[in-house]
Amino acid sequence: MGMNRRDFLKSSAAVAAASAVGIAVPQEAAAAAAKGEEGWRWDKAPCRFCGTGCGIMLATKNGKIVAVKGDPAAPVNRGLNCIKGYFNAKIMYGADRLKTPLLRMNEKGEFDKKGKFKPVSWKRAFDEMEKAIRRALKESGPEGVAVFGSGQYTIMEGYAAQKMMKGGFRSNAIDPNARHCMASAVVGFYQTFGIDEPSGCYDDIELTDTIVSWGSNMAEMHPILWSRVSDRKLSDPENVKVVNLTTYRTRSSDLADFEIIFRPQTDLAIWNYIAHEIVYNHPEVIDWDFVKEHIVFAVGPVNIGYGMRRAGEKSLKEGKYSAKEMEIIKKEMAKKVSDLEAPALAPYGYKAGDEMKNTPGTLKHWLISFEEYKKSLEPFTLDYVAKLAKGDPDEDLEAFKNKLKMLADLYIDKNRKVVSFWTMGMNQHTRGTWDNTLSYNVHFLLNKQAKPGNGAFSLTGQPSACGTAREVGTFCHRLPADMMVKNPKHRKIVENKWQIPEGTLNPVGNQHIMKIHRDIEDGVVKFAWINVCNPYQDSANARHWIKAAREMDNFIVCSDGYPGISAMVSDLVLPSAMIYEKWGAYGNAERRTQHWRQQVLPVGEAMSDTWQWVELSKRFTVNDLWGPYTLRNGKKLPDVRKAAEKMGYKPDTTMFEILFANDRAKKYKIDLNSFPQKGFDNSECIGDSRNVKGSDGKVFKGYGFMLHQYLWEEYAWFGRGHGHDLADFVTYHKVRGLKWPVVNGKETFWRFNVKYDPYAAKHAKEAGLKDFAFYGPLAKKLASGDLKGIKDKKKTSIANKAKIFARPYMDPPEMPDNEYNMWLCTGRVLEHWHSGTMTMRVPELYRAVPEALCYMNPKDAKKIGVKNGDLVWVESRRGKVKVRVETRGRNRPARGLVFVPWFDERVLINKVTLDATCPMSKQTDYKKCAVKIYKA
């Protein structure tokens, strides 16, 4: 009896699922599945979506991906996928996939910013880009050329973009949308450890007995990890405890032993309460041997502002911000200390009603004594924190107090291992860096960090926010492997490796993603290129940035697979190859790096972002880019053209020849007869059967060398021997990822722990330490003082030590009042990825969740006269959107707060949100602003 397609797919899926969980498969079913898969080629790859790093298997036939399943050999997901993961193929085949470059033109065929999009050749597209970049450099210097990068770049794409931007254009105005998702975690790592990224790994889930989620709806945002949490809980339900701290009830609450609904921003106070319980009421649980040998205490300024626009900036002076908006923005310069935050700020010398004059956020900090740290905790009693933090007005105060006490007891119990997970709830926060450092405080006091089953662990949102944003260093202030543009030694290392003249790299790296938007509005940035992201949908206070993009004198380019809001806002749209149409690599939240091969040819004339950057580099020479510039701050970039000549470069040598097609690159040969190249397409290196006409108008035949391997190996060189060690290109194609540092072929599970981390063992031996070495090199010489300031400028070395920080509770800049009486929180839902640009094109995911909803408490809905399904306006000082009310959904806010996800471009909720950021990390706070809601 034959099988139809539906029966076959059912059978094949069943066989795959059974195999993943170790169930024996009937021979008949296995045979039917094998027959149906005849002619399919299966290959491994990572999932396109979140930062978990799940592995999938892709089947291709006749040049198209025909099936996706979980990879049973992948250690992260062990054969399981979440609902998005199963649709990795369908995201590539939407009906409106971009297939050719599109330029705004008038009827004469000339570029016209007010014109309509019309198809153009790749050559015409690059001609227009070249013209716009030359103009931007002439009028604004390197600061006038900007890139909206991404935590969704492949590692090779991000590295290529960085080389051309920083080494070619000498511009540090490249910043990833990862700035929005985990910059606070990064600065928290730097400040605490002196080096980036988590010390633990996902194996902690199976090894711990206490899992606390802080502002992270793992059930929807990291569902595969939540399945592991669920499995751990259900395997030992009496002993294993799960706690969910959140500002509204989510699906993660369903598994929890108890949930704590806290008022937005007060997680700062709750962390301090736990530390207060330890220090004041249970000092016997402090592991003083560990603390004295491995930890120091530190503090920084508290009057750091909120990362908004500052007085004197051009667009403020020109009146582009309304009086209502200025009510909040003025707090960036000065604010009055409120009754709520006054007790927390008292140890720092402030009282209620004092004017706090703010200076722009600083990373400055200094050493303090334990007694000073203890003094900072004194206000955080159970009574103060409970009244401050209780987020559900209908919850009994004593019941809330009891939950706080139970939470503290779980951490304090010496017989318990504890893992603290968080994502955007702690990172998207005007004090996000503080919040991150506070998490480590509790774990350090108890010696429950960097050990199996113990640790504070920041989960990442995007698939390569770690690998491409953080490790490659595509932030405006960074270089590869934790190096910084402001450090002359770091710049010299990079210049030597890239074989560019000393002095080429720009030392000023302050154009983070929100500053790029503001610089476009101020008229400084004249050219901006959007790569693998959707900044005109995903940035807070979006109305300002959309208006600036369309009305200011600039040229905006968007490379994308689909025509999202950012593409529609732009002047030129370039069709990008999507994930499995190119070779690539991602790095995820547990430091796991994974590679994949190109599975199919790109759709239409789409080409990868790597190719787009490399082709652009052909348009600019030594003479074009390496002359002198004066930056806005008065700093001068030297003319390095003569130095380039001494290195053998001519005035007309292109950046392509220097940065990409150099002798080092050409050593990486095309070898179609050997692994991993054999049997796989490689559109950039050898061209392909589409015969796409490239940037020169001729059919693109490939670069003739293994560009991907070159970019990988050159990038990986920076981390090897420095605690960021990565394996070689070929090895990653044989394995399901490796957690760096990879030393002698072995991955590292727990960093800083002598037993597991060879770098910790090396540093500990040199320093005479026993169990740990916190060997990160950044900010390891500090002055000393008290909570109010530096008293002794002499710097003390704190090599191999980590820090516990004194950080107070402070109010956010905007809170509900009589006019705007509700909190708004934004975020994601399980079925859609970020701005929905891909997942809204998948029919099954679209049907499951076709629109963004305003999740509201039924009592609030009744109060304003609406019911489930009605339309309301959600309005802030910045804008308003119309959205449908949901009072019975998966997200269940307490009175006073609403949740609206941001995946739906028709419900552009980021017109409403506030572009306040953590002043230290520059990460936007999407989790709290004040709104009013009324019937539409």
Side-chain angles (χ1 to χ4, degrees), residues 288-303:
W288 279 111
D289 289 340
F290 171 81
V291 170
K292 287 176 180 176
E293 188 166 28
H294 300 292
I295 304 297
V296 295
F297 297 88
V299 71
V302 297
N303 61 328

Side-chain angles (χ1 to χ4, degrees), residues 904-923:
D904 188 349
E905 64 184 33
R906 299 160 304 179
V907 181
L908 186 49
I909 195 62
N910 278 323
K911 289 196 296 185
V912 176
T913 51
L914 173 66
D915 58 317
T917 70
C918 169
M920 300 169 78
S921 70
K922 310 302 188 289
Q923 179 163 355

Side-chain angles (χ1 to χ4, degrees), residues 519-708:
D519 279 350
I520 292 172
E521 188 176 51
D522 288 348
V524 174
V525 168
K526 302 287 187 181
F527 174 91
W529 191 0
I530 300 160
N531 290 180
V532 208
C533 64
N534 194 350
Y536 290 95
Q537 185 173 338
D538 71 30
S539 294
N541 205 359
R543 184 176 59 84
H544 273 274
W545 322 130
I546 291 171
K547 183 180 172 71
R550 292 306 310 134
E551 296 181 7
M552 296 295 292
D553 182 18
N554 54 46
F555 191 81
I556 312 291
V557 182
C558 179
S559 295
D560 207 335
Y562 291 104
I565 286 180
S566 296
M568 292 186 283
V569 163
S570 299
D571 302 304
L572 173 66
V573 180
L574 304 179
S576 282
M578 293 182 69
I579 178 168
Y580 309 117
E581 297 171 339
K582 58 194 177 187
W583 290 66
Y586 279 162
N588 70 32
E590 66 166 353
R591 294 173 280 107
R592 182 179 299 278
T593 309
Q594 300 185 70
H595 284 231
W596 69 91
R597 299 181 277 197
Q598 182 177 340
Q599 303 296 317
V600 291
L601 297 184
V603 169
E605 295 179 24
M607 294 295 287
S608 76
D609 291 68
T610 303
W611 180 86
Q612 293 173 34
W613 274 103
V614 174
E615 289 302 290
L616 182 67
S617 73
K618 294 177 176 178
R619 298 293 184 115
F620 295 91
T621 66
V622 167
N623 207 43
D624 294 330
L625 301 183
W626 286 355
Y629 293 103
T630 301
L631 304 177
R632 277 178 290 180
N633 67 355
K635 183 150 187 89
K636 295 184 184 296
L637 298 184
D639 187 332
V640 296
R641 289 174 294 186
K642 286 187 177 178
E645 213 171 318
K646 289 179 181 177
M647 295 176 72
Y649 302 135
K650 297 176 181 176
D652 63 351
T653 302
T654 66
M655 292 298 125
F656 172 69
E657 297 167 279
I658 296 170
L659 299 175
F660 300 112
N662 49 57
D663 291 339
R664 306 180 308 285
K666 290 175 182 176
K667 290 177 182 176
Y668 293 94
K669 304 296 184 184
I670 298 295
D671 184 358
L672 300 180
N673 295 313
S674 299
F675 180 87
Q677 298 178 43
K678 186 177 181 180
F680 286 84
D681 291 306
N682 196 328
S683 295
E684 297 96 329
C685 300
I686 59 174
D688 62 50
S689 59
R690 295 174 302 153
N691 290 322
V692 172
K693 289 186 178 177
S695 63
D696 58 0
K698 300 175 183 176
V699 172
F700 180 71
K701 296 292 187 182
Y703 298 121
F705 60 92
M706 191 56 179
L707 174 66
H708 317 293

Side-chain angles (χ1 to χ4, degrees), residues 405-423:
K405 189 72 172 67
M406 287 194 297
L407 175 66
D409 288 345
L410 288 174
Y411 278 98
I412 289 168
D413 188 341
K414 279 194 168 186
N415 296 316
R416 281 196 164 275
K417 295 178 179 179
V418 186
V419 177
S420 304
F421 285 119
W422 67 91
T423 321

Side-chain angles (χ1 to χ4, degrees), residues 209-389:
D209 43 34
T210 315
I211 296 160
V212 186
S213 173
W214 291 76
S216 176
N217 182 8
M218 289 175 70
E220 293 201 56
M221 305 313 124
H222 294 87
I224 295 300
L225 293 183
W226 195 244
S227 74
R228 290 175 63 169
V229 170
S230 301
D231 183 62
R232 177 68 184 124
K233 170 65 179 171
L234 297 174
S235 69
D236 189 2
E238 294 302 314
N239 181 50
V240 174
K241 300 298 179 187
V242 177
V243 185
N244 187 34
L245 284 90
T246 176
T247 58
Y248 57 95
R249 175 164 284 192
T250 67
R251 284 181 169 178
S252 298
S253 302
D254 297 338
L255 180 72
D257 290 271
F258 61 97
E259 66 174 2
I260 293 176
I261 305 292
F262 63 89
R263 191 170 63 81
Q265 193 91 352
T266 60
D267 43 357
L268 292 162
I270 296 173
W271 277 120
N272 276 309
Y273 159 71
I274 299 169
H276 177 279
E277 280 294 292
I278 294 168
V279 169
Y280 280 88
N281 298 329
H282 296 277
E284 74 281 357
V285 301
I286 299 174
D287 188 330
W288 279 111
D289 289 340
F290 171 81
V291 170
K292 287 176 180 176
E293 188 166 28
H294 300 292
I295 304 297
V296 295
F297 297 88
V299 71
V302 297
N303 61 328
I304 58 176
Y306 301 99
M308 296 184 285
R309 277 194 175 275
R310 293 194 63 80
E313 292 185 9
K314 188 178 179 186
S315 291
L316 292 187
K317 290 195 293 185
E318 291 177 349
K320 292 182 180 178
Y321 289 76
S322 69
K324 287 285 186 187
E325 290 177 279
M326 292 305 299
E327 289 175 7
I328 306 304
I329 292 173
K330 69 181 182 182
K331 294 182 183 179
E332 177 63 24
M333 280 53 78
K335 58 159 281 178
K336 284 229 173 114
V337 174
S338 76
D339 291 337
L340 283 175
E341 63 192 350
L345 289 170
Y348 302 83
Y350 292 93
K351 62 182 184 300
D354 282 354
E355 184 180 56
M356 179 183 283
K357 291 186 177 178
N358 294 321
T359 54
T362 175
L363 302 181
K364 181 180 178 182
H365 56 281
W366 55 91
L367 298 175
I368 57 172
S369 67
F370 170 73
E371 291 306 317
E372 284 290 298
Y373 172 67
K374 185 176 180 179
K375 193 188 300 181
S376 79
L377 297 177
E378 189 173 359
F380 294 97
T381 63
L382 181 58
D383 284 343
Y384 170 59
V385 173
K387 288 177 183 176
L388 178 70

